[in-house]
Amino acid sequence: MRDRPAPLPGGVGVSRLRVYDTVAPDGLVGGTPHVHLCCTEGYVVTDGEGMVQTLTTAGYGETPLRPGVMVWFEPGTVHRLVNTGGLSIVVLMQNSGLPEAGDAVLTFPPEVLADPAAYAVAAALPDGGAPGADVRVAYRRRDLAVTGFQSLRSGGPAALAAFHAAAAALRQPLLTRWRQRWEAGAGRAAADTAAQLDALERGDPGHLGDAGVYVVDAPVERGRLGMCGLLDTYPAAG
């Protein structure tokens, strides 16, 4: 058994999430609505009940969540977790580490999205959200994003298209770093599979002799402030 870190299958990221249990301005309990620009996200519900609210060009939807349910959605889906009782999930994120590198834009009102400095202030968490940080700051940014989300829901396709455009413009300066991270993570995982297929077609099984087993005994952090709740995080990549 080897003890050095290694990427998870396909360059995926994994965390455990306990969804926030305080009330937002619309009277619902739960997390912060946001969108990803490059990453598909998936949930596997382990405990409790709730729902995920989603908004796409196809319209608004609500998917009930209970233990055993798995749901996933593609980039561009505005989503928000609602907690109706002890909701805990395992989160699967495409492109290991990319969401933590900025591939998430909160549904703040348009005037905040249009000003990178204002957005950075509104989205910031004390000590980057490290375990033990003041959770009230996460609740305040959640509440601002819920206000923007309510406007998006009532604004129709034009409002969603404007939000997508603003989100893309806001994150434009990060794209070079995102590409580098993708190339080193999920892109490399796909390239490795292609090389293995090529080798097998040549009748060369040599890579099978390099197999390793990797173990993480426990999350590397417990209780990090996330967009939707408290995160127990695991290493994203080797």
Side-chain angles (χ1 to χ4, degrees), residues 24-232:
D26 62 352
L28 297 177
V29 173
T32 307
H34 61 281
V35 72
H36 299 288
L37 279 64
C38 294
C39 294
T40 293
E41 181 173 4
Y43 300 149
V44 181
V45 183
T46 57
D47 293 287
E49 294 184 346
M51 66 176 170
V52 58
Q53 298 178 323
T54 55
L55 183 64
T56 69
T57 54
Y60 172 76
E62 296 180 350
T63 301
L65 301 177
R66 62 185 185 280
V69 168
M70 181 170 68
V71 59
W72 64 97
F73 36 85
E74 295 175 311
T77 304
V78 179
H79 52 286
R80 174 200 186 189
L81 281 168
V82 174
N83 183 0
T84 58
L87 183 60
S88 295
I89 63 179
V90 172
V91 182
L92 307 174
M93 289 298 309
Q94 190 182 17
N95 301 320
S96 57
L98 194 55
E100 292 75 17
D103 182 27
V105 175
L106 310 183
T107 56
F108 292 151
E111 62 272 16
V112 178
L113 290 170
D115 183 342
Y119 181 91
V121 170
L125 294 172
D127 198 18
D134 187 355
V135 71
R136 292 174 296 181
V137 180
Y139 297 156
R140 285 198 293 270
R141 74 171 187 176
R142 185 266 318 269
D143 293 349
L144 182 62
V146 167
T147 300
F149 182 57
Q150 290 176 295
S151 296
L152 279 180
R153 284 182 56 185
S154 63
L160 181 59
F163 171 72
H164 283 163
L170 184 68
R171 290 306 191 225
Q172 185 73 25
L174 302 179
L175 295 184
T176 297
R177 280 180 284 170
W178 286 7
R179 183 174 295 277
Q180 292 168 346
R181 186 181 287 262
W182 170 78
E183 287 173 345
R188 179 177 177 179
D192 286 347
T193 299
Q196 291 163 3
L197 288 168
D198 290 343
L200 291 172
E201 288 179 346
R202 296 193 305 268
D204 176 8
H207 65 278
L208 302 180
D210 296 327
V213 177
Y214 308 94
V215 175
V216 176
D217 292 325
V220 295
E221 288 184 317
R222 295 182 186 270
R224 170 170 284 277
L225 300 184
M227 284 171 285
C228 292
L230 299 177
L231 292 166
D232 296 342

